[in-house]
Amino acid sequence: MKQTMFQEKYPVFFLEVSKEECRFDQFEKVISYFENCVKQHPKASYIATFDHYAHTDSLEEGEIAEGILAAKNVVFCFGLKLPNALVMAVRPRSFGITEYADKYVISFLEAPMPVANQAMEEWSRALHK
């Protein structure tokens, strides 16, 4: 698991998993895995899965980087507290799952809640055989 500052503002965690090392042999199985992780967590709520690739591909001006075969977001919420209106700006959360010919890249924005980050890291790392 690595962390970077995407566009010098957004703290993003990401993990590259080669297809040889992945527990799942198909992109849709990886997506289902993350959906199920969220659905089974007692404090998380699954919202939707968004096909970012299909959306971008459908736009006349849409651009997709070379090598990307598929890209979906598994959207969910870990909202344990609603202390004020500003917390709404950082919710809900999502996993970005991108497929390349030889690997999957899992990415997510750092959450302001350690328990959420820990779960997201554990779920991502568990993709390895």
Side-chain angles (χ1 to χ4, degrees), residues 32-86:
S32 293
Y33 163 75
F34 280 103
E35 292 171 346
N36 288 328
C37 286
V38 171
K39 289 175 184 177
Q40 293 174 6
H41 193 281
K43 295 183 172 107
S45 180
Y46 172 77
I47 298 170
T49 297
F50 173 68
D51 191 333
H52 203 315
Y53 187 98
H55 165 72
T56 304
D57 193 46
S58 74
L59 301 174
E60 186 175 320
E61 66 277 11
E63 293 181 26
I64 298 172
E66 186 175 332
I68 294 177
L69 304 176
K72 291 188 177 185
N73 291 90
V74 175
V75 184
F76 60 99
C77 190
F78 258 113
L80 303 179
K81 298 179 183 177
L82 193 53
N84 57 54
L86 298 182

Side-chain angles (χ1 to χ4, degrees), residues 12-39:
V12 172
F13 286 91
F14 68 97
L15 179 69
E16 294 183 3
V17 181
S18 74
K19 288 187 174 179
E20 291 178 359
E21 295 176 344
C22 189
R23 292 172 42 196
F24 306 101
D25 61 354
Q26 296 173 4
F27 179 71
E28 288 304 322
K29 289 181 182 178
V30 175
I31 299 301
S32 293
Y33 163 75
F34 280 103
E35 292 171 346
N36 288 328
C37 286
V38 171
K39 289 175 184 177

Side-chain angles (χ1 to χ4, degrees), residues 81-100:
K81 298 179 183 177
L82 193 53
N84 57 54
L86 298 182
V87 75
M88 298 296 290
V90 296
R91 291 187 184 147
R93 315 240 39 93
S94 77
F95 281 104
I97 301 131
T98 306
E99 180 183 22
Y100 291 86

